[in-house]
């Protein structure tokens, strides 16, 4: 109950006669959770947070006692103090001053009002409000379950909670992906910070809820266990609920609602996991069929289990992912989770399986066969964007090599598409970026040839052509290698290259002459231009 219920000010029903407010007019919305009577000098061992303390002032022998007694009450979390006038008459000024100083509401209990009657009033009000709260909790539970069962999804359930108690909340994964929102979408950077905070709190076994303040906002983070069990400590795809508030101070009815929300999200998570387990089994079956050389009709039949035949406009392609910096024993599992997270929310679920030292996904996509390269493949850009956004604690500073095959329409072309995706991934592994995605189009260029050349041969070829230029640049503070790159990029055009470098054409001719002199090559010859171009690509 609220303190104002004692006074019956018109907003909380009829109050109780014989009580006056002396201190704390601005604190009447404080909650009373219990009532206790004491005349002990130090009642702290019996004091409970939220208590209305009734006292006959038996602890007071002098004015100095008031400040000490009030300090004990405030440290113990008392909501207010009610002092009886039956024994001592008017409440002494030193007690009024102490309550004002420590911001503790103070009531005077007149002689005609017994502590027993006051206690009965408070207990009756608390019990009635708890019953109302229980009814409200049951009603909220019913509406939440109806929303979840009615196909509203987790976004709908979280939105219902946000509207009910005016609190925003989100479901996030440890990779930083937002699985559901009951408020405005969180910025990617903020999601990553929350994922890291949740991971760190979980590792040190902090008390739930994990409280975290980031970018000037206060959040409570709650683990979302799998339905019927605890969260898997090794699950990189774990979910958690982020609530923009400190829920540890919430009233009981909101705490109950929060617990129900976590259980419903847990059920939603289990449904997602069930779907992923199903698609993993299908992916394993398809990969096994392809590895054993099964008939294409058998492969096509198995694929129909994954989803209906979408017609001539729908095709399939493979995506491979390897993580060179992750121990071999962990790489397939983490790669599978990352592919599942990156390919989440697709209209047709991706079939993802751990394979070799990484993971492979078979995805359905709309559009024709793109081996001719005339139509750009949107998958490579999507993967690069999503994997860059997945930057939770499990993916900290990971390098990822991704290969994407062409889209194919027939089951008998899948084996070739799988080999193509793995080969594209190997080419991605020759590059130095954190996230490298190579599509099938690059397999038809010089990139594929360079990737197949042994490293010692590539190093020797590169050194013979570029080392003299690198040494000259270092000793003369020149930029012959940079000049060579721009010259080739301008297709050997003297005027365009000079303009790009902001130098006179004669200066450019001098630099090209030095390059030819140092290397023994002639940039007017096509074969020498090709050699320089390849050497620069091998750096």
């Amino acid at each position: 109950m609220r303190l104002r219920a004692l006074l019956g000010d018109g907003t909380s029903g009829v109050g109780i006669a014989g009580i006056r407010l002396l201190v704390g007019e601005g604190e009447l919305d404080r909650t009373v959770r219990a009532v206790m009577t004491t005349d002990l000098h130090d009642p702290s061992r019996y004091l409970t947070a939220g208590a209305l303390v009734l006292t006959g002032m038996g602890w007071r022998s002098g004015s100095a006692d008031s400040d000490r007694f009030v300090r004990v009450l405030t440290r113990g979390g008392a909501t207010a103090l009610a002092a009886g006038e039956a024994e001592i008459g008017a409440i002494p000024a030193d007690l009024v001053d102490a309550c004002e100083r420590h911001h503790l509401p103070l009531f005077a209990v007149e002689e005609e009002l017994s502590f027993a009657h006051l206690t009965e009033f408070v207990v009756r009000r608390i019990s009635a409000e708890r019953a109302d709260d229980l009814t409200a909790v049951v009603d909220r539970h019913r509406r939440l379950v109806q929303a979840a069962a009615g196909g509203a999804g987790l976004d709908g359930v979280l939105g219902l909670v946000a509207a009910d108690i005016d609190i925003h909340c989100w479901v996030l994964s440890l990779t930083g992906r937002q699985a559901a929102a009951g408020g405005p979408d969180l910025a990617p950077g903020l999601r990553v910070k929350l994922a890291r905070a949740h991971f760190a709190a979980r590792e040190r076994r902090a008390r739930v809820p994990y409280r975290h303040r980031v970018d000037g906002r206060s959040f409570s983070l709650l683990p979302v266990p799998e339905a019927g069990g605890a969260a898997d400590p090794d699950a990189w795809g774990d979910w958690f609920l982020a609530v923009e508030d400190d829920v540890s101070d919430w009233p009981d009815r909101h705490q109950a609602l929060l617990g129900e929300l976590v259980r419903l999200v847990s059920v939603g998570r289990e449904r997602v996991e069930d779907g992923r387990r199903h698609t993993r089994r299908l992916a394993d079956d398809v990969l096994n069929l392809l590895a054993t050389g099964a008939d294409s009709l058998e492969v096509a039949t198995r694929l129909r289990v994954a989803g209906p035949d979408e017609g001539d406009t729908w095709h399939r392609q493979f995506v491979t992912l390897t993580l060179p910096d992750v121990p071999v024993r962990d790489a397939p599992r983490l790669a599978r989770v990352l592919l599942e997270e990156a390919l989440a929310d697709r209209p047709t679920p991706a079939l993802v399986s751990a394979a070799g030292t990484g993971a492979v996904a078979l995805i359905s996509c709309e559009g024709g066969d793109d081996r001719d390269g005339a139509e750009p493949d949107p998958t490579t850009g999507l993967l690069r964007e999503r994997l860059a956004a997945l930057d939770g604690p499990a993916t900290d500073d990971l390098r990822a090599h991704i290969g994407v095959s062409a889209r194919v329409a027939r089951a008998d072309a899948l084996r070739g598409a799988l080999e193509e995706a793995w080969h594209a991934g190997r080419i991605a592994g020759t590059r130095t970026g954190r996230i490298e995605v190579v599509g099938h189009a690059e397999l038809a260029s010089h990139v594929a040839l360079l990737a197949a050349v042994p490293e010692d041969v590539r190093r020797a070829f590169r050194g013979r052509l570029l080392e003299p230029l690198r040494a000259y640049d270092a000793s003369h503070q020149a930029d012959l290698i940079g000049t060579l790159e721009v010259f080739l990029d301008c297709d050997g055009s003297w005027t365009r290259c000079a303009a790009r470098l902001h130098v006179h054409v004669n200066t450019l001719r001098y630099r090209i002459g030095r390059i030819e002199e140092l290397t023994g090559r002639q940039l007017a010859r096509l074969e020498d231009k090709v050699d320089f171009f390849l050497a620069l690509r091998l750096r």
Side-chain angles (χ1 to χ4, degrees):
M1 60 166 273
R2 305 289 184 183
L3 280 177
R4 65 176 66 254
L6 296 172
L7 303 176
D9 60 357
T11 61
S12 301
V14 179
I16 185 170
I19 192 168
R20 306 188 316 276
L21 177 67
L22 302 180
V23 171
E25 185 175 356
E27 304 289 339
L28 290 176
D29 282 324
R30 287 191 180 188
T31 300
V32 179
R33 293 189 172 91
V35 61
M36 69 171 292
T37 301
T38 183
D39 278 325
L40 294 174
H41 287 81
D42 183 0
S44 56
R45 73 180 65 181
Y46 306 110
L47 189 61
T48 59
L52 170 64
V53 178
L54 311 183
T55 182
M57 303 284 291
W59 46 266
R60 183 181 180 278
S61 57
S63 59
D65 293 334
S66 292
D67 189 79
R68 176 191 52 77
F69 185 74
V70 171
R71 275 191 285 110
V72 169
L73 297 187
T74 54
R75 280 199 302 266
T79 291
L81 173 65
E85 295 179 330
E87 293 291 333
I88 64 169
I91 305 301
D94 50 84
L95 181 58
V96 174
D97 292 341
C99 287
E100 284 183 331
R101 194 160 47 249
H102 295 285
H103 306 288
L104 182 69
L106 173 64
F107 293 87
V109 181
E110 298 171 359
E111 184 174 355
E112 62 269 20
L113 176 61
S114 69
F115 280 179
H117 187 192
L118 178 55
T119 300
E120 181 184 359
F121 174 86
V122 173
V123 170
R124 188 168 59 248
R125 287 297 299 262
I126 291 175
S127 298
E129 290 187 10
R130 283 178 177 168
D132 290 342
D133 286 347
L134 180 59
T135 301
V137 167
V138 171
D139 181 61
R140 287 190 180 101
H141 169 83
R142 177 182 56 78
R143 287 188 287 121
L144 285 177
V145 171
Q146 285 178 345
L154 288 179
D155 284 321
V157 172
L158 266 60
L160 187 61
V161 172
D164 197 359
I165 60 177
D166 195 26
I167 289 293
H168 293 152
C169 47
W170 299 265
V171 177
L172 305 175
S173 76
L174 280 185
T175 60
R177 183 176 69 88
Q178 181 175 287
D185 287 346
L186 292 176
L190 179 56
R191 297 201 305 263
V192 170
K193 291 177 182 178
L194 292 175
R196 292 182 185 279
H198 185 273
F199 183 80
R202 191 188 70 174
E203 290 298 293
R204 67 174 182 268
R205 301 180 184 276
R207 183 178 179 181
V208 177
Y210 312 142
R211 287 177 288 181
H212 186 63
R213 190 166 182 82
V214 57
D215 296 345
R217 300 165 67 178
S218 180
F219 292 88
S220 296
L221 311 177
L222 298 96
V224 176
E226 293 189 31
D232 180 358
D234 294 325
W236 283 307
D238 261 0
W239 287 10
F240 64 96
L241 182 67
V243 182
E244 192 171 4
D245 199 12
D246 184 353
V247 303
S248 59
D249 293 332
W250 279 12
D252 292 344
R253 61 184 181 277
H254 288 175
Q255 295 278 5
L257 177 64
L258 185 63
E260 186 59 38
L261 178 59
V262 169
R263 284 189 288 274
L264 287 175
V265 174
S266 177
V267 172
R269 177 191 172 190
E270 184 62 20
R271 288 174 180 167
V272 171
E273 288 300 317
D274 282 343
R276 286 184 174 180
R277 283 189 286 267
H278 175 66
T279 59
R280 289 169 196 162
R281 288 192 295 270
L282 289 175
D284 290 343
D285 289 347
V286 171
L287 292 178
N288 288 334
L289 290 173
L290 294 176
T292 57
D295 184 84
S296 59
L297 181 60
E298 186 177 358
V299 175
T301 301
R302 191 64 185 138
L303 284 174
R304 289 193 188 96
V305 178
D309 186 358
E310 304 286 356
D312 294 338
T313 62
W314 282 81
H315 296 70
R316 290 184 171 88
Q317 66 186 151
F318 279 104
V319 175
T320 62
L321 170 63
T322 54
L323 305 169
D325 300 329
V326 176
V328 174
R329 68 179 183 278
D330 297 327
R333 183 160 51 114
L334 179 54
R336 186 195 67 206
V337 170
L338 291 182
L339 269 184
E340 288 174 336
E341 292 282 288
L343 296 170
D345 307 322
R346 291 178 55 84
T348 304
L351 305 185
V352 184
S353 174
T357 58
V360 60
L362 179 60
I363 63 177
S364 297
C365 44
E366 192 169 14
D369 190 312
D370 56 0
R371 288 189 181 278
D372 57 5
E375 184 180 353
D377 175 26
T379 305
T380 54
L382 174 68
L383 283 168
R384 186 179 286 107
E385 175 185 331
R386 289 203 171 181
L387 284 170
L390 298 179
D391 197 17
T395 61
D396 195 13
D397 297 327
L398 281 182
R399 290 189 300 136
H401 299 151
I402 303 105
V404 182
S405 76
R407 293 169 286 182
V408 296
R410 303 187 317 275
D412 59 5
L414 286 175
R415 187 176 293 106
L418 178 58
E419 293 176 0
E420 189 174 68
W422 281 118
H423 188 48
R426 286 191 290 271
I427 293 176
T430 66
R431 299 177 179 177
T432 58
R434 179 170 173 257
I435 297 174
E436 293 288 356
V437 183
V438 172
H440 70 96
E442 296 190 57
L443 301 184
S445 73
H446 66 278
V447 176
L449 294 176
L450 295 180
V453 176
E455 176 57 30
D456 56 341
V457 177
R458 295 197 296 167
R459 191 183 308 113
F461 179 77
R462 181 175 62 239
R464 279 198 306 271
L465 278 177
L466 299 184
E467 191 55 40
L469 305 182
R470 188 175 292 111
Y472 185 90
D473 284 345
S475 61
H476 294 80
Q477 288 76 52
D479 189 22
L480 294 185
I481 290 181
T483 299
L484 177 61
E485 286 183 301
V486 175
F487 185 75
L488 294 175
D489 191 48
C490 292
D491 298 324
S493 169
W494 296 95
T495 54
R496 283 195 290 127
C497 182
R500 283 264 301 272
L501 294 173
H502 304 289
V503 299
H504 194 273
V505 171
N506 290 338
T507 302
L508 175 61
R509 290 186 185 278
Y510 172 78
R511 292 184 185 180
I512 296 300
R514 294 298 296 162
I515 292 172
E516 293 176 338
E517 179 184 339
L518 290 168
T519 61
R521 301 298 185 103
Q522 297 295 320
L523 279 165
R525 298 176 57 193
L526 176 61
E527 54 267 38
D528 286 345
K529 286 182 181 177
V530 170
D531 286 346
F532 277 124
F533 175 81
L534 295 177
L536 289 168
R537 290 298 183 271
L538 287 170
R539 282 197 297 163

